């Protein structure tokens, strides 16, 4: 059984170990794989493991031995699942490994926006402390969150985690999900239709998956329905947001700030309009990556593959 890992981050693995996979077959781990290398590297392997490398219908066509694609992530939009289904290729994702980490990171983005800790920490190193003739710490205003309203779009595992942490800071939570669920009220949140959530939230956190129906859901029209000075958080998938529209809203002040761990094209392109917005806080898709989550990710990935091999 040949197992090919297309993006195993071998150059900088941290404490990731591929030992669990080694025990299950003949393992080849690549650091990263470019689009034109994908089919050649998979070759006649039966098992493909990917994190962000896309597996298209064309790749499945060129590599007819594939029987299983393990996605080392929660979101599985990197795989053409419809094409996989037609070819009887099993696809597994790992929905639970990073729920706490990703919720925590959404709140970390929010807290950075509300406190500018990175900025103030640098200012102290430049010799500044509270008021100076040429500088004042409240040029970077601090924002109290208690009593403010967070709207969570996509009230699944991560959305609920973000909501719970927000509630623990005294925020009210409005929840919108494609599937309304009586549990929302049990969680102390109020269900809101999308238009109501957009109009009433001081902070909007995106936690729904990227589907054709959700792509570009934050755009000129939906931003216009939001409160002036809203904060937008996205550590789900970048393409949920039309980035040019968000950049314009950040420049006009309609959106006070955005905290993004994901962008539409990753790694981020130099001409991404959000890069020139000082009120846009961007991190390189790392919400998933605390040491504890990565260990859980690898353990579950091996467990999933074993379960597949055992039928
Ligand atoms: P989940 O399936 O538990 O929750 C997703 C929720 O979104 C579900 O309740 C679903 O009903 C809802 N939803 C689907 N379509 C919707 C729509 N059109 N409008 C509103 N809600 C809709 O998934 P999860 O574990 O909470 O993960 C959410 C997303 O987080 C993943 O899809 C992934 O893209 C992202 N993620 C990002 C990172 C990262 O490192 N940045 C890590 C893990 C997951």
């Amino acid at each position: 059984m040949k197992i090919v890992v297309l993006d195993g981050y071998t150059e900088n693995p941290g404490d990731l170990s591929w030992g669990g996979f080694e025990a299950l077959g003949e393992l080849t781990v690549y650091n990263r794989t470019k689009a034109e290398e994908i089919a050649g590297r998979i070759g006649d392997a039966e098992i493909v493991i990917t994190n962000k490398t896309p597996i298209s219908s064309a790749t499945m066509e060129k590599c007819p031995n594939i029987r299983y694609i393990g996605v080392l992530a929660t979101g599985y939009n990197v795989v053409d699942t419809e094409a996989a289904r037609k070819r009887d290729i099993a696809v597994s994702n790992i929905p639970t490994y990073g729920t706490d980490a990703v919720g925590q990171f959404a709140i970390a983005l929010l807290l950075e926006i509300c406190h500018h800790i990175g900025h103030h920490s640098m200012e102290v190193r430049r010799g500044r402390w509270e008021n100076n003739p040429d500088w004042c710490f409240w040029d970077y205003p601090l924002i109290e969150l208690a009593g403010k309203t967070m709207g969570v779009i996509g009230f699944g595992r991560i959305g609920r985690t973000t909501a719970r942490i927000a509630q623990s800071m005294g925020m009210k939570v409005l929840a919108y999900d494609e599937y309304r669920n009586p549990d929302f009220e049990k969680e102390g949140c109020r269900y809101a239709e999308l238009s109501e959530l957009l109009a009433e939230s001081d902070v909007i956190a995106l936690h729904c998956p990227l589907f054709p129906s959700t792509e570009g859901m934050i755009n000129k029209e939906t931003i216009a329905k939001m409160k002036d000075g809203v904060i937008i958080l996205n550590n789900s998938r970048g393409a949920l947001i039309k980035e040019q529209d968000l950049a314009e809203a950040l420049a006009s002040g309609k959106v006070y700030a955005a905290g993004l761990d994901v962008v539409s094209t990753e790694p981020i392109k130099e001409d991404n309009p959000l890069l020139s917005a000082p009120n846009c806080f961007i991190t390189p898709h790392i919400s998933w990556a605390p040491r504890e989550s990565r260990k859980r990710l690898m353990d579950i990935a091996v467990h999933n593959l074993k379960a597949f091999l055992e039928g």
Side-chain angles (χ1 to χ4, degrees), residues 156-158 177-179 207 209 214 235-237 261 285 288:
R157 283 171 283 252
I158 296 171
D177 196 285
E178 204 180 13
Y179 304 101
H207 289 300
T214 56
N235 63 345
S236 189
R237 285 293 178 265
D261 184 45
H285 202 147
W288 63 279

Side-chain angles (χ1 to χ4, degrees), residues 6 20 29 52 64 78-79 89 130 156 162 174 183 199 222 243 245 278 281 291 294 298:
L6 292 170
V29 186
K52 298 200 175 82
V78 293
V79 179
I89 297 172
E130 284 200 38
T162 302
L174 297 177
D183 285 357
T222 46
E243 291 172 337
D245 294 357
F281 296 70
R291 180 183 294 162
R294 286 185 298 136
M298 298 304 273

